[in-house]
Amino acid sequence: MTNWLSREIRHLLPTFDLHAIRTVLISFDPWRADARPTRDFLHIITDDAVAKHYPKMFVKPTIKSDLSEPVITVEFIDSSKAIFKASKLTTLDILTKLKPLCIAKAPPP
C-alpha cells in the first residue's frame, strides 16, 4: 500500500460502524497480482481492534490456488449480501463502497 492510500484508509476507518455486518467471506488466490487489495482488506478487517469492537462479526478467509478472481462477500444482519469482485478495486474502493451499505443496514440504536 502506498503512503497516500494507507493515510486515506486510516482517516476512513474511524468513521465505520460494522455492527450491520454478520459475516465477511474473503476468497482469493495469493499468486494473482490483483489480490493485494483483498489481502490488505483482510488484514484491516481482522485487526485486533476491529475484532474487539465487533465480536459478533465472523470473518472467513479462503485461500485458493486456482487463479480465480478475488471475491469479498459481505452478509448483513438482515440476511442481504453484497459481493465485491475485487480484481479491479483498491482497498480504499472496497471500503468506500462498503461504508454506505453499512450505514443503510445499521441496526437501530
Side-chain angles (χ1 to χ4, degrees):
M1 239 185 310
T2 63
N3 287 337
W4 172 84
L5 189 58
S6 62
R7 190 170 43 248
E8 289 294 318
I9 290 170
R10 240 182 327 208
H11 289 306
L12 183 65
L13 282 179
T15 65
F16 258 77
D17 183 11
L18 301 175
H19 284 103
I21 297 176
R22 178 183 300 156
T23 311
V24 180
L25 304 173
I26 301 170
S27 169
F28 64 95
D29 182 352
W31 301 111
R32 283 182 62 127
D34 58 3
R36 172 83 188 212
T38 308
R39 290 192 324 251
D40 292 340
F41 177 76
L42 175 63
H43 178 71
I44 290 168
I45 206 89
T46 57
D47 187 65
D48 289 339
V50 174
K52 186 174 92 174
H53 283 88
Y54 306 104
K56 293 183 181 179
M57 183 174 64
F58 177 70
V59 179
K60 181 182 179 191
T62 304
I63 313 299
K64 299 180 176 183
S65 70
D66 59 0
L67 294 177
S68 60
E69 180 179 17
V71 176
I72 300 169
T73 305
V74 179
E75 183 181 355
F76 296 98
I77 56 174
D78 65 353
S79 297
S80 63
K81 292 183 180 182
I83 299 173
F84 297 95
K85 297 197 176 193
S87 64
K88 294 186 174 54
L89 298 174
T90 65
T91 308
L92 185 61
D93 291 338
I94 295 166
L95 292 171
T96 44
K97 291 176 187 290
L98 182 61
K99 183 178 179 178
L101 295 172
C102 289
I103 292 170
K105 310 239 183 230

